[in-house]
Amino acid sequence: MISVGIDISKEKITVCALEQGSKIIWKPFDVYLNKSKVEELLEKLEKVKEEIKITMEATGKYHLPILYELKDRGYFVSVINPLKMKQFCRALNFRKAKNDKIDAKQIAEYGLMYWKELEEYKVDEENYRVLKELNRSYQHYMDLRIDQMNYIDQTIHQTFPCIKKLIPHNSGDFSKDKLLDFLEKWWHKDLVLEKTEEEFIEEYKRWAKEKRYHPNANKAKTIYKLAKDSISTQPSHNSKIETNIREGINLIK
């Protein structure tokens, strides 16, 4: 039986092969991740007549190209949690030094020691792989959106304190957000107070109709009162603050 250990890097892999008794069959060598070099490795594997099991660590996405190539050729490949591998090496007191070649040999040692317990990696069907990638993208963009929303909320606390209590964010429908729409026009309380209460009420009602919100005069009165009573800590004449808020809103939308 031949245990092949593969250490994964961003642009290359390091391969080592051991047989029973930890006898080295292939000294650790590097394979750069391009078609010609990977093909040379596959040809080298095909020449081995004994049973082969290949072990590698999970490394986010870097291990996927060589993993899929090996699985396409029908090889037994086991993908190990890096923490489990680290614990294995510590138990054997291996990691006094560390480099790719040492790591590849240690991974091959792991394959020998747990030969019978190794679990073969099952490649997901294409649709499932696409769904997983889309889910990762969704989570990524949702995290960005939440961070940006929090940033906007912190900023408007300095320009229009407590406005969020009167006009909350829409939680369910991402296509419209009343607070963000409101802030695009009145990002600072002073912009409300530039007009008389009656003038602001009429302007608010026109804005609400245009944006397809309820043109509530009482809501406008409450907003005007809040603007008069609140204390801002950022000036309304600073174009940098205004640009910061407007660009932040554009990013969210």
Side-chain angles (χ1 to χ4, degrees), residues 67-168:
L67 170 64
Y68 289 157
E69 285 290 334
L70 291 168
K71 292 301 296 179
D72 283 346
R73 299 296 181 98
Y75 287 104
F76 181 108
V77 183
S78 185
V79 180
I80 309 299
N81 184 298
L83 179 59
K84 185 182 289 188
M85 185 66 67
K86 188 174 183 179
Q87 292 170 341
F88 166 78
C89 294
R90 281 181 176 174
L92 295 182
N93 197 29
F94 276 160
R95 297 215 173 191
K96 292 180 180 177
K98 178 176 172 57
N99 59 46
D100 294 344
K101 292 184 178 181
I102 292 174
D103 288 347
K105 184 174 184 295
Q106 291 167 355
I107 294 169
E109 291 276 8
Y110 182 97
L112 279 179
M113 183 166 289
Y114 294 101
W115 183 270
K116 293 183 179 180
E117 290 81 18
L118 291 176
E119 293 185 12
E120 185 172 6
Y121 183 89
K122 302 297 182 185
V123 177
D124 297 325
E125 292 185 4
E126 182 179 307
N127 285 345
Y128 186 64
R129 294 206 304 269
V130 171
L131 285 172
K132 286 205 298 186
E133 183 60 32
L134 290 174
N135 182 62
R136 279 193 289 265
S137 296
Y138 173 80
Q139 294 299 332
H140 169 70
Y141 288 114
M142 283 301 297
D143 288 344
L144 289 178
R145 185 178 191 277
I146 290 169
D147 286 345
Q148 190 62 26
M149 291 282 269
N150 289 336
Y151 180 76
I152 290 292
D153 290 348
Q154 292 166 12
T155 305
I156 64 170
H157 184 69
Q158 302 174 69
T159 63
F160 207 144
C162 299
I163 188 62
K164 187 180 173 183
K165 292 182 179 179
L166 293 181
I167 309 176

Side-chain angles (χ1 to χ4, degrees), residues 1-3 17-26 50 112:
M1 59 186 191
I2 303 296
S3 173
L18 304 177
E19 66 177 358
Q20 212 164 9
S22 296
K23 181 181 177 182
I24 296 177
I25 302 300
W26 299 341
E50 298 181 53
L112 279 179

Side-chain angles (χ1 to χ4, degrees), residues 2 27 43 45 52 73 155 212:
I2 303 296
K27 290 183 178 180
E43 290 174 1
L45 285 167
I52 296 175
R73 299 296 181 98
T155 305
R212 297 186 179 180

Side-chain angles (χ1 to χ4, degrees), residues 7-24:
D7 181 69
I8 310 290
S9 300
K10 187 175 182 179
E11 297 178 349
K12 68 180 178 67
I13 61 175
T14 305
V15 183
C16 178
L18 304 177
E19 66 177 358
Q20 212 164 9
S22 296
K23 181 181 177 182
I24 296 177

